[in-house]
Amino acid sequence: MASLADRVRDNGRIAAGLLLNLLVSICIVFLNKWIYVHHGFPNMSLTLVHFVVTWLGLCLCQKLNIFAPKSLPPSKLLLLALSFCGFVVFTNLSLQNNTIGTYQLAKAMTTPVIIVIQTFCYKKTFSTKIQLTLIPITLGVFLNSYYDVKFNFLGMVFAALGVLVTSLYQVWVGAKQHELQVNSMQLLYYQAPMSSAMLLVAVPFFEPLFGEGGLFGPWSASALLMVLLSGVIAFMVNLSIYWIIGNTSPVTRQSNSLLEPGTLGPSW
């Protein structure tokens, strides 16, 4: 009886985590698109804001004793931090250069790529039912791309890069949590500032820091408010992604994201 109650409680926690991830993922997709279209905020700079707010949010959680940091060797997190940068930058570039529908549909390919990576690199097996679901997903993405009246070659390049890096990132998140024996907050607590530092070095080479259109440019109060709100929601997206992968699997995370707007695709 106790074990049944435990299973019900655990399933309830997972369902709540999936629902939270779904809701904040919907919010951030539309909010980021709004920021790009109506304010023209630079892509990498917005990503940097997301990383910094995520780190500050985790620092606040640590001060409130929500979790205890665990000492981790930076060398073990280097590739994860780098893939985090690519994951967010390329998906935001895809969102910026595609319609929301095309952006979401293209990202559905993350599920097949994750399965391929885990099958060939981690020797993980999947049931025939799961493998068969890849056929309509792949076919649907191909048909949408082929017949899309607003086809954007550059947008599709960013979408493809985003799918590849996102798949690697989500597989590595799960692998690192098990390898280092840490929870979602402990891992993100060290990885977020590393990714922030990497992006801080890269931003000046691709985007202006000052003046019109720069990170520290003369933005309106409404633009800054939207960017800050986007950062807070990004913190919730990041935390929920890590928690879901740590408690289930990258494929479960992607299955949840198929419910997001634009028919298919993961968050951000």
Side-chain angles (χ1 to χ4, degrees):
M1 194 70 179
S3 61
L4 177 60
D6 290 339
R7 285 200 300 271
V8 171
R9 185 167 56 251
D10 290 342
N11 289 338
R13 289 172 61 245
I14 291 173
L18 290 170
L19 179 61
L20 173 64
N21 179 260
L22 174 65
L23 293 176
V24 294
S25 296
I26 291 171
C27 288
I28 202 166
V29 167
F30 285 101
L31 182 57
N32 283 359
K33 191 68 175 180
W34 174 273
I35 291 171
Y36 292 141
V37 172
H38 295 278
H39 297 292
F41 201 85
N43 174 276
M44 292 182 69
S45 297
L46 181 62
T47 304
L48 178 59
V49 172
H50 289 172
F51 289 175
V52 172
V53 173
T54 295
W55 181 53
L56 293 176
L58 287 166
C59 289
L60 177 62
C61 290
Q62 188 264 324
K63 293 295 184 183
L64 295 174
N65 294 319
I66 296 176
F67 75 100
K70 183 177 179 180
S71 181
L72 301 174
S75 59
K76 294 282 188 179
L77 301 177
L78 189 60
L79 279 179
L80 184 64
L82 190 60
S83 66
F84 189 35
C85 293
F87 153 52
V88 183
V89 169
F90 285 129
T91 50
N92 277 347
L93 284 171
S94 173
L95 178 61
Q96 192 173 12
N97 289 274
N98 293 308
T99 63
I100 290 180
T102 298
Y103 158 81
Q104 290 289 90
L105 191 60
K107 292 282 309 262
M109 284 302 297
T110 305
T111 301
V113 174
I114 284 177
I115 290 177
V116 169
I117 292 172
Q118 291 195 316
T119 299
F120 290 98
C121 298
Y122 292 87
K123 308 302 179 185
K124 187 172 182 178
T125 57
F126 295 89
S127 68
T128 304
K129 290 182 179 180
I130 290 179
Q131 294 177 25
L132 288 175
T133 62
L134 304 185
I135 298 175
I137 291 175
T138 306
L139 184 61
V141 172
F142 173 77
L143 290 175
N144 175 80
S145 302
Y146 188 79
Y147 291 105
D148 189 0
V149 294
K150 295 184 178 180
F151 179 80
N152 182 329
F153 178 77
L154 182 61
M156 292 309 297
V157 169
F158 287 137
L161 290 172
V163 166
L164 178 60
V165 178
T166 299
S167 302
L168 287 170
Y169 170 72
Q170 295 198 14
V171 170
W172 287 344
V173 165
K176 287 297 180 183
Q177 286 194 49
H178 288 90
E179 175 190 340
L180 301 174
Q181 292 297 297
V182 292
N183 62 33
S184 55
M185 286 186 164
Q186 289 171 327
L187 184 59
L188 195 54
Y189 181 76
Y190 282 94
Q191 183 248 298
M194 288 182 65
S195 296
S196 300
M198 291 177 180
L199 210 55
L200 185 60
V201 173
V203 165
F205 292 97
F206 298 95
E207 297 173 354
L209 290 179
F210 303 96
E212 193 71 27
L215 175 61
F216 302 106
W219 298 102
S220 65
S222 61
L224 294 176
L225 180 62
M226 289 297 101
V227 169
L228 180 60
L229 179 60
S230 178
V232 172
I233 297 176
F235 164 64
M236 300 173 70
V237 171
N238 288 327
L239 199 57
S240 60
I241 286 175
Y242 271 57
W243 188 89
I244 290 170
I245 294 175
N247 287 273
T248 55
S249 72
V251 173
T252 302
R253 155 69 190 126
Q254 288 308 120
S255 299
N256 180 59
S257 66
L258 296 182
L259 300 173
E260 292 171 17
T263 67
L264 294 171
S267 68
W268 228 348

